[in-house]
Amino acid sequence: MEDYHDANRQIEYIRQSLAQDRNHTGFLLGAGCPLSIRIDGAPLLPDIAGLTAEIKAKMASKDAAKPSAYDRLCKLFAEDGLPNFTIEDALSMIRAMQQVVGKGEVRSFSSKELDDLDVSVCSIIANRMTASLPNTKNAYHDLAIWARSLSREHPVHIFTTNYDMLIEEAFEEQGAPYFDGFTGSKKAFFDLNTVEEEGLILARWTRLWKIHGSINWRAELDSNGKMKAVVRSDTIVDGQKYLIYPSHLKYDQSRKMPYLALMDRMRAFLLSHNSILVTSGYSFGDEHINDQIISGLQNNPSAIVYALLHENLDTPAYSKAVDCGMTTPNLVVIAKDAGIIGRKRAYWRLRETSEFDGTFEELVKCLEEATDENEGRLKCEVSVGDFAKLGLVLRSMCRPDVGVKSNE
């Protein structure tokens, strides 16, 4: 990478894009976002790798001579040459086998064993992902304040692969209205018709689309074990299952399934004129979502996606993001040390002056002194890929009198 990209210009572009009240503006928040909130030095919630390790520790047998069902599942992955699987891979395999097991066995697993594994894994996920935001300012509060403080022609759309309740908590604490596809109070139900006609809801209501489900979504089953309804509830009772599906496998192919309806929302958003999608905490590891993003950008030249990455561009986990950026002109990849803009990969450089108020200094770190050789453009690092720093950008766009509502 011999040339450079201008760090000032790209951060200004992001800010200007988010400030346009006539754009269709959205965010895609991934598993990296909760890592930006630290409690005594530890992340508020684990990422997928951390969650996978915790579940393995809880479900592994203490007696090597008597392997648990989860131990046997791990052995299947090893046999398939996939020893470094994630909990999402595990759920995918469990549900793939559930589809075909019938009354017999699949790879030595019975139907009951697979059902019990599914329930156990989802229960641990639900219990582990139950966490509350600290009262101190954080990016979730910044996002909620930004969403409620700006008048817009079109609603803000938030897509997330996370199952936790942090977004809902932040929006409710800050008095920011949102619609998540459910209607009702005591046992809210997934309302497909309203989801598909969400354009009739006031623009000041943020749309929250939890693509992989949520720890408070339940699948209500009939006597044959088939799903008959999707409800939102703080408790789970007999005849219900957690609706957490990172595997992308549907229990049936009905259009009433939330996963299909919410992916339709992403597709429709990306095809909207002048749509702006900012990704944070998402490393492009989900092929289904990547396909939606790339297809939308290819079919809508007026759309643009800013993919904000936390680490350096050569980080192995970002290989798919790099591939997408190098083949899609309207996908802008912004990593710490370098970016891909217009399919051109280059390191960041910084002009000596900036018009980005005081926030800019917290987003860019200079790595060298100005010399005649670099002609006043300094090599630098950009940290807007940190969800906490994205929160600073959003905070800088709000009026000074619009602040966080404390719980205290």
Side-chain angles (χ1 to χ4, degrees), residues 288-300:
H288 294 75
I289 294 177
N290 296 349
D291 289 344
Q292 291 285 353
I293 291 174
I294 300 307
S295 175
L297 292 177
Q298 289 175 343
N299 289 287
N300 183 12

Side-chain angles (χ1 to χ4, degrees), residues 311-354:
E311 304 296 337
N312 289 340
L313 195 58
D314 285 331
T315 300
Y318 299 157
S319 60
K320 292 179 181 178
V322 172
D323 291 343
C324 291
M326 294 300 292
T327 58
T328 312
N330 44 347
L331 173 61
V332 177
V333 180
I334 299 178
K336 180 186 288 187
D337 65 331
I340 302 173
I341 303 169
R343 299 175 55 234
K344 173 185 171 183
R345 176 173 176 161
Y347 291 111
W348 298 116
R349 291 279 180 175
L350 172 67
R351 295 196 306 267
E352 290 187 79
T353 59
S354 171

